[in-house]
Amino acid sequence: MSNHKVQIEVNGKNIEAEVSGRTHLADFLRNNLNLTGTHIGCEHGVCGCCTVLMDEEPIRSCIILAVQADGHKIKTVEGMSEINQETGKRELSNIQKAFWEGHGLQCGFCTPGMLLTTEALLAENPDPTDQEIREALSGNICRCTGYLQIVEAVKLAAKMNKNSTLVYLPEEV
Amino acid sequence: MKPVDFDYVKPSDLNEVLQTLNLLKDKAKILSGGQSLLPVLNMRLARPEVVVDINEVKELNHLVVENDYIKMGAGVRHSFAEQSAIMKDYLPLLAKCIPYIGHSQIRNRGTVIGSIVHADPSAEIPLVALILDGHLELVSEEDKRTVPLSEFFYGYMMTDLQPEEMVTSLNIPVRSIPVGGSRGTSFIEMARREGDFALVAAAAQLEIDKEGFIYDVRIGLGGVGPAPIRLEEVENFLQQKEPTEDLFIEASQLIKNYLEVDEDPFVPKEYREHVAFRFVQRVLSEALADAKTSYERMS
Ligand SMILES: Cc1cc2nc3c(=O)[nH]c(=O)nc-3n(C[C@H](O)[C@H](O)[C@H](O)COP(=O)(O)OP(=O)(O)OC[C@H]3O[C@@H](n4cnc5c(N)ncnc54)[C@H](O)[C@@H]3O)c2cc1C
Ligand code: FES
Ligand code: FES
């Protein structure tokens, strides 16, 4: 019943909007901002495919109200690509390239959540072991890959972050 | 799966929260980390008229040592408690159980006190807070009371919390390690997948005196009844004895007499009983091993 004015920084852009109290963040991102890269699977906190970063920390966007993000920074999968300083072109991030290169996805439904959880993991722990990767991704369910290529992709991303010459196609998106 | 329409309010001080609760009673629901409430709202298992967000109430964010108690405010999130040095130094058992709660995404939002109020019978924190003699500060507009964890849980997800009340703090007494002795802790659980709620959880804290005898022991089980249980018979049996594997096996037999595991459609009763029985022994052995290594570290 109640409506609220919110100011949220989404992928670096300041967004001002009005939301109803009961709208959760995943719905707000998808329906109000058209950022449909954030997927909704279970809608009760179990599957992890709605994972976004709030103030750099991974959270489930289906179990936080949009109005609770007021004054905070949100990053979705749409905000992961970066401008290459040398070419000036927009490119996938290393993590995205590594998932592409390492076949870390099949249907792609879980992928946005996997990518953002990985981003938070590598920011905190640039060189994780297999065990640490599996532990970090334990809250993200994938029904296709069997996880093996996902773990490999995360390791590849860690390598690419350290060695900038390890650049894979595609260059442009 | 969307919540029913409700009014959302975000008071910035405690009095305002308490006034709202007093006015609306069970028409209102407190929103803390939201990691249990939002799923419940999405599934429409709860239909509050007003949701009272307490995340802006800054006076609830304390995690301090005060008058021989560790005091944790309602704003303390799992991830914050997990990394806090106070927790590792004073309450290693609580620090050890936190990684078992859900996943990192859940721990980044969920709160220690929210987990106690939600009162899932297999939740980690209620079990550990119970065996460490924790108590809660419950506050309403007109009253203030403290309730020990041992009197807080009534049954499956039912507690002593009244609709006009909120929990402001969890307080756990600081215990000093016996002179010349050591302390060890252990937490183990069995879940279907990493991060799922436990089928059975066990926690123990063991203090050994300088002669090598058991000076104090606390042990409890989660997931085997409508609320976490403290195994007082086991504790009494072990008191002052010399800790050995055989003694722990004997101690674990004691629970057979009174363990009443609920039947559920997914897990056979016998399985839960068997795991509980093995866990009592294992959690004691691991706590003893931990006490030995911490003794070596000190000497
Ligand atoms: C996928 C998933 C897995 C999980 N796994 C586990 C697990 O393994 N173990 C576990 O213990 N938990 C688990 N949880 C739950 C999680 O730990 C929650 O964080 C916790 O149970 C509730 O804390 P919260 O702060 O999120 O509370 P909320 O969801 O905000 O509130 C829960 C309930 O407590 C009430 N409440 C909250 N704070 C107060 C207060 N200060 N005073 C009065 N009432 C209050 C609310 O009104 C509500 O009824 C899981 C959750 C998910 C989604
Ligand atoms: S859709 Fe949010 S966790 Fe499944
Ligand atoms: S790629 Fe299909 S669910 Fe993960």
Side-chain angles (χ1 to χ4, degrees):
Chain A
M1 279 166 262
S2 59
N3 282 321
H4 307 268
K5 284 209 162 59
V6 291
Q7 254 192 49
I8 311 175
E9 191 190 310
V10 182
N11 299 332
K13 260 203 291 206
N14 190 29
I15 305 281
E16 288 184 25
E18 195 167 301
V19 294
S20 73
R22 69 174 182 144
T23 304
H24 58 62
L25 181 61
D27 270 351
F28 174 72
L29 294 169
R30 293 174 55 84
N31 300 343
N32 297 45
L33 305 185
N34 271 332
L35 296 174
T36 52
T38 301
H39 292 166
I40 298 180
C42 66
E43 219 168 358
H44 63 276
V46 176
C47 72
C49 69
C50 68
T51 301
V52 300
L53 301 185
M54 179 153 113
D55 306 329
E56 275 91 48
E57 285 185 337
I59 59 156
R60 314 271 214 218
S61 61
C62 72
I63 51 175
I64 178 171
L65 297 173
V67 46
Q68 291 186 280
D70 185 27
H72 293 274
K73 260 178 20 191
I74 300 293
K75 184 169 183 175
T76 70
V77 69
E78 289 90 346
M80 285 187 82
S81 58
E82 297 152 356
I83 305 283
N84 181 320
Q85 296 303 334
E86 280 163 34
T87 62
K89 287 180 185 157
R90 185 163 281 279
E91 276 183 14
L92 292 177
S93 70
N94 280 346
I95 296 170
Q96 290 171 303
K97 286 177 192 164
F99 268 66
W100 175 306
E101 185 61 27
H103 303 283
L105 63 147
Q106 287 179 28
C107 79
F109 200 83
C110 69
T111 314
M114 292 285 179
L115 293 171
L116 288 156
T117 308
T118 302
E119 180 164 316
L121 168 70
L122 295 183
E124 202 185 292
N125 178 357
D127 207 5
T129 62
D130 280 31
Q131 187 52 38
E132 287 165 341
I133 295 169
R134 285 181 179 273
E135 159 74 33
L137 294 176
S138 69
N140 296 72
I141 293 177
C142 176
R143 288 282 96 127
C144 302
T145 62
Y147 304 99
L148 225 93
Q149 296 110 294
I150 293 180
V151 175
E152 290 306 315
V154 175
K155 286 200 282 191
L156 180 58
K159 234 187 258 169
M160 288 165 73
N161 280 347
K162 272 186 284 181
N163 182 351
S164 56
T165 59
L166 268 176
V167 174
Y168 292 94
L169 290 173
E171 282 179 344
E172 213 175 312
V173 279
Chain B
M1 272 204 358
K2 310 292 171 195
V4 294
D5 226 348
F6 53 71
D7 280 334
Y8 167 90
V9 292
K10 187 167 68 175
S12 52
D13 73 82
L14 191 57
N15 281 335
E16 228 179 303
V17 176
L18 300 177
Q19 278 164 14
T20 312
L21 291 179
N22 211 10
L23 199 70
L24 298 165
K25 302 266 173 6
D26 25 1
K27 294 196 186 97
K29 264 278 170 216
I30 288 184
L31 168 62
S32 187
Q35 303 303 287
S36 296
L37 183 62
L38 260 288
V40 164
L41 289 179
N42 283 355
M43 292 189 262
R44 299 202 175 184
L45 297 172
R47 296 164 173 262
E49 286 177 21
V50 178
V51 167
V52 186
D53 186 345
I54 59 170
N55 283 275
E56 287 301 311
V57 185
K58 298 281 183 283
E59 61 215 270
L60 297 173
N61 290 342
H62 59 273
L63 173 49
V64 292
V65 196
E66 201 181 286
N67 303 332
D68 294 332
Y69 280 95
I70 311 293
K71 298 192 170 177
M72 251 169 285
V76 173
R77 299 187 200 279
H78 300 312
S79 56
F80 181 79
E82 185 178 359
Q83 281 149 23
S84 129
I86 291 188
M87 204 64 114
K88 283 182 190 140
D89 290 347
Y90 292 95
L91 299 174
L93 183 56
L94 197 57
K96 262 183 203 171
C97 84
I98 293 177
Y100 289 95
I101 301 170
H103 316 281
S104 63
Q105 296 101 327
I106 308 291
R107 296 192 294 272
N108 283 338
R109 296 292 305 163
T111 63
V112 170
I113 287 180
S115 177
I116 292 178
V117 176
H118 188 64
D120 189 290
S122 51
E124 292 79 2
I125 289 180
L127 167 63
V128 170
L130 171 75
I131 71 169
L132 295 181
D133 287 331
H135 68 255
L136 299 170
E137 290 180 27
L138 273 62
V139 187
S140 66
E141 203 180 8
E142 274 139 31
D143 197 16
K144 199 174 171 157
R145 59 189 181 119
T146 57
V147 178
L149 267 290
S150 55
E151 291 166 22
F152 185 67
F153 303 112
Y154 281 176
Y156 187 77
M157 289 185 170
M158 286 195 315
T159 69
D160 188 29
L161 184 78
Q162 301 304 309
E164 70 278 9
E165 281 179 326
M166 74 166 283
V167 181
T168 50
S169 190
L170 163 67
N171 305 338
I172 297 182
V174 175
R175 289 185 57 83
S176 44
I177 297 172
V179 182
S182 64
R183 171 189 298 159
T185 57
S186 170
F187 187 92
I188 46 180
E189 75 172 45
M190 177 70 146
R192 273 199 212 83
R193 288 186 321 130
E194 164 119 24
D196 279 8
F197 273 100
L199 302 179
V200 180
Q205 175 165 298
L206 199 60
E207 286 167 15
I208 309 293
D209 64 18
K210 64 174 189 297
E211 276 84 37
F213 292 98
I214 296 174
Y215 175 78
D216 182 82
V217 54
R218 286 131 195 284
I219 177 166
L221 287 171
V224 292
I229 51 171
R230 185 164 175 178
L231 304 174
E232 285 169 26
E233 292 78 355
V234 175
E235 293 178 1
N236 293 338
F237 170 78
L238 291 170
Q239 206 67 30
Q240 306 304 326
K241 296 205 169 82
E242 191 184 352
T244 63
E245 280 310 310
D246 285 345
L247 184 75
F248 294 157
I249 293 173
E250 210 182 325
S252 66
Q253 306 281 353
L254 294 176
I255 67 167
K256 280 193 171 160
N257 303 334
Y258 64 92
L259 200 66
E260 280 177 33
V261 178
D262 291 333
E263 195 67 70
D264 89 47
F266 307 106
V267 188
K269 188 166 161 259
E270 295 72 23
Y271 177 77
R272 268 212 171 84
E273 275 169 1
H274 181 71
V275 175
F277 171 63
R278 293 282 300 140
F279 271 15
V280 168
Q281 182 197 341
R282 212 178 107 196
V283 83
L284 288 167
S285 314
E286 287 185 9
L288 179 63
D290 185 43
K292 283 184 178 151
T293 53
S294 66
Y295 182 75
E296 277 153 23
R297 245 183 284 126
M298 283 186 311
S299 49

